């Protein structure tokens, strides 16, 4: 089946799914214009898109299995068949938006760091065809992060400027310490989040009542590695599915409630479940005044990349408060599949269109928070050329 036939099949599947969930109403013009724009600001604080350099890597579809360590929950993707699909995924592109919305202050921050590390696929672990020629080739790893500050913007901005450097430094420190690659990355992220938290322990960086969520992704040729503190979120659109790669860390989540109350803390329902009636999340960077109940310990997932992957979406709760995972995934798939076929050199990237559209929908749905979104298009960029005349086009197939 060629690529055009696959797109048509995917669109047919999407139409079937969308008819039951109302994607047409989500994308309607009235939905975009249905709010009073005078009550907030949807002008971009920051936005941008880019093309990430191709990475020749070996990719396989995943079979997920879940393991739990002492501090973090790890989801490991195991290969189910020895087939290289990396030849069709030579690169990814991205787009992002970050708007103040209806808040008085902008407290979100985002980070997009293409090629923040360069290693062989085998070296970083999780290669789905170990021992192959591609597993020994050096390729870039990419870093994406969304940080939703509270009490101020200082911690979110600090994380956006510093977290990726700390993770890269921790990788070098931990590389020889663990025989299993998942445990190595687990240590890298756990230590990296703790180090970043320690670096803001001075009031010169941020007051003790300021903190931030941290939802980050490291993308290699074979793996999607997520690390999360707080209630920002990462989802993966794969074919017709929207797969959550993080689970919101809320004070009333059963395991978090037991941890907080077991340490002498209280969860009070004050406009939602909050730690001591103040903070609506149970883990974060910063928030020193709420230790030991608020902790900077991340939860980590590993997901093997597949040729059926459409995109990654990282966003602050300004999006998730007003849209479900499934709604976000449907909008993203609808836009990506249409725009990929018609994209010309003059148009903005499909990923940027998705980020812009989701931001407008969230604002139109009366989101009360800052809205920050990163969309990573995981499909290879197709070569788009002007369509030749019919005779010439037929000649090309001879």
């Amino acid at each position: 089946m060629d690529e055009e036939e696959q797109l048509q099949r995917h669109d047919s599947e999407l139409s079937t799914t969308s008819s039951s969930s109302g994607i047409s109403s989500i994308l309607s013009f009235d939905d975009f214009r249905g709010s009073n724009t005078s009550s907030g600001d949807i002008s971009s604080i920051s936005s941008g898109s880019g093309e990430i350099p191709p990475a020749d890597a070996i990719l396989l579809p995943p079979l997920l299995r879940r393991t739990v360590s002492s501090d973090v929950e790890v989801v490991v993707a195991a290969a189910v068949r020895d087939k290289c699909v990396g030849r069709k995924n030579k690169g990814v592109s991205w787009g992002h938006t970050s708007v103040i919305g209806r808040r008085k202050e902008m407290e979100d921050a985002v980070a997009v760091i293409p090629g923040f590390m360069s290693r062989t696929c085998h070296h970083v672990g999780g290669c789905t065809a170990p021992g192959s020629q591609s597993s020994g080739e050096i390729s870039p790893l990419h870093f994406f992060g969304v940080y939703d500050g509270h009490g101020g913007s200082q911690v979110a901005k600090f994380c956006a400027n510093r977290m990726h450097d700390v993770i890269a430094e921790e990788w070098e420190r931990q590389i020889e310490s663990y025989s299993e690659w998942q445990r190595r990355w687990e240590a890298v992220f756990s230590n990296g989040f703790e180090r970043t938290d320690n670096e803001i322990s001075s009031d010169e960086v941020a007051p003790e009542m300021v903190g931030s969520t941290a939802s980050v992704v490291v993308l290699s040729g074979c793996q999607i590695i997520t690390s999360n503190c707080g209630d920002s979120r990462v989802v993966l659109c794969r074919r017709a599915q929207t797969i959550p790669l993080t689970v919101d860390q809320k004070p009333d989540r059963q395991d978090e409630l037991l941890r907080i109350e077991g340490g002498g803390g209280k969860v009070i329902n004050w406009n939602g479940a909050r730690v001591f009636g103040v903070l609506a999340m149970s883990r974060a960077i910063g928030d020193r005044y709420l230790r030991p109940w608020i902790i900077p310990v991340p939860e980590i997932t590993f997901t093997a990349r597949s040729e059926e992957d459409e995109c990654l979406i990282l966003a602050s709760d300004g999006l998730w408060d007003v849209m479900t995972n499934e709604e976000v995934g449907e909008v993203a798939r609808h836009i990506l599949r249409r725009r990929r076929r018609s994209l010309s050199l003059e148009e903005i990237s499909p990923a940027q269109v998705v980020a812009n559209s989701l931001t407008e929908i969230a604002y139109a749905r009366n989101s009360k928070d800052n809205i920050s979104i990163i969309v990573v298009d995981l499909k290879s960029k197709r070569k788009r050329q002007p369509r030749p005349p019919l005779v010439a086009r037929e000649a090309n197939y001879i």
Side-chain angles (χ1 to χ4, degrees):
M1 181 181 297
D2 63 23
E3 188 172 8
E4 189 66 25
E5 289 174 338
Q6 288 179 345
L7 282 169
Q8 291 174 356
R9 187 183 67 179
H10 288 326
D11 283 342
S12 176
E13 292 170 352
L14 182 61
S15 298
T16 302
T17 304
S18 301
S19 62
S20 62
S21 56
I23 188 173
S24 59
S25 64
I26 296 174
L27 291 170
S28 69
F29 181 85
D30 290 340
D31 207 5
F32 282 85
R33 300 291 180 247
S35 63
N36 180 6
T37 56
S38 64
S39 63
D41 183 8
I42 199 165
S43 61
S44 290
I45 297 299
S46 66
S47 65
S49 61
E51 184 80 16
I52 292 177
D56 292 325
I58 307 300
L59 314 178
L60 284 178
L63 175 66
L64 296 180
R65 66 178 185 271
R66 185 177 298 270
T67 62
V68 180
S69 68
S70 58
D71 292 326
V72 293
E73 182 178 1
V74 182
V75 180
V76 183
V80 295
R81 58 189 175 95
D82 186 16
K83 181 181 179 182
C84 173
V85 298
R87 291 169 296 178
K88 295 184 179 180
N89 281 332
K90 295 297 184 182
V92 294
S93 61
W94 55 269
H96 74 79
T97 59
S98 190
V99 303
I100 193 170
R102 292 179 171 83
R103 282 292 181 92
K104 294 182 179 180
E105 181 181 356
M106 184 61 180
E107 296 180 326
D108 285 3
V110 300
V112 177
I113 316 295
F116 89 112
M117 290 171 51
S118 293
R119 299 290 186 276
T120 66
C121 191
H122 176 74
H123 189 214
V124 297
C127 182
T128 50
S132 66
Q133 180 179 355
S134 296
S135 70
E137 295 176 354
I138 294 177
S139 58
L141 282 75
H142 314 299
F143 184 99
F144 305 92
V146 168
Y147 308 99
D148 182 357
H150 43 265
S153 62
Q154 297 96 320
V155 174
K157 289 179 179 178
F158 184 87
C159 288
N161 291 326
R162 178 64 176 147
M163 178 77 79
H164 50 279
D165 288 332
V166 173
I167 296 302
E169 292 167 6
E170 282 298 317
W171 174 259
E172 293 302 324
R173 292 178 57 183
Q174 300 294 335
I175 189 64
E176 302 299 335
S177 301
Y178 296 87
S179 58
E180 295 183 8
W181 68 274
Q182 297 97 336
R183 296 293 177 259
R184 192 159 65 233
W185 276 111
E186 181 180 335
V188 166
F189 277 115
S190 296
N191 293 340
F193 276 46
E194 182 180 9
R195 270 187 59 191
T196 304
D197 183 79
N198 288 338
E199 290 181 7
I200 61 172
S201 62
S202 168
D203 285 338
E204 295 178 0
V205 177
E208 66 174 10
M209 297 184 70
V210 178
S212 176
T213 70
S215 290
V216 306
V217 169
V218 169
L219 183 68
S220 72
C222 290
Q223 295 290 328
I224 303 166
I225 308 170
T226 66
S227 186
N228 182 61
C229 265
D231 57 3
S232 294
R233 193 180 305 169
V234 182
V235 300
L236 168 67
C237 294
R238 171 172 290 172
R239 201 181 175 88
Q241 292 181 295
T242 303
I243 304 170
L245 301 187
T246 62
V247 179
D248 296 356
Q249 295 156 347
K250 294 288 192 179
D252 57 350
R253 205 179 83 178
Q254 187 61 31
D255 55 343
E256 293 294 271
L257 178 63
L258 291 173
R259 178 182 62 80
I260 293 167
E261 292 183 341
K266 293 184 178 180
V267 175
I268 300 172
N269 194 335
W270 183 268
N271 191 25
R274 297 174 181 269
V275 178
F276 287 101
V278 178
L279 198 60
M281 67 202 69
S282 53
R283 303 191 191 192
I285 307 294
D287 297 304
R288 299 193 306 278
Y289 73 112
L290 286 175
R291 298 296 167 82
W293 308 287
I294 299 297
I295 58 175
V297 177
E299 292 178 316
I300 302 166
T301 64
F302 300 88
T303 306
R305 292 180 61 182
S306 164
E307 62 183 354
E308 296 181 342
D309 292 345
E310 297 280 354
C311 69
L312 284 169
I313 300 171
L314 301 78
S316 61
D317 62 351
L319 175 67
W320 307 115
D321 284 346
V322 294
M323 295 187 73
T324 66
N325 291 354
E326 290 71 26
E327 288 175 330
V328 168
E330 287 178 8
V331 170
R333 283 188 291 269
H334 179 85
I335 294 173
L336 285 174
R337 292 171 182 171
R338 297 298 180 183
R339 300 284 294 195
R340 287 188 189 123
R341 280 191 274 188
S342 62
L343 183 67
S344 67
L345 295 177
E346 292 75 27
E347 292 179 306
I348 63 175
S349 71
Q352 187 64 54
V353 176
V354 173
N356 293 345
S357 299
L358 289 173
T359 300
E360 291 187 40
I361 294 171
Y363 188 82
R365 289 191 171 191
N366 217 26
S367 175
K368 300 296 193 299
D369 209 342
N370 306 143
I371 306 168
S372 295
I373 302 170
I374 300 174
V375 178
V376 185
D377 187 348
L378 297 174
K379 287 289 188 183
S380 300
K381 186 175 181 180
R382 298 174 64 199
K383 294 182 180 179
R384 295 172 176 84
Q385 300 175 348
R387 180 170 292 185
L390 180 60
V391 174
R393 190 164 70 248
E394 290 176 348
N396 288 336
Y397 290 98
I398 295 175

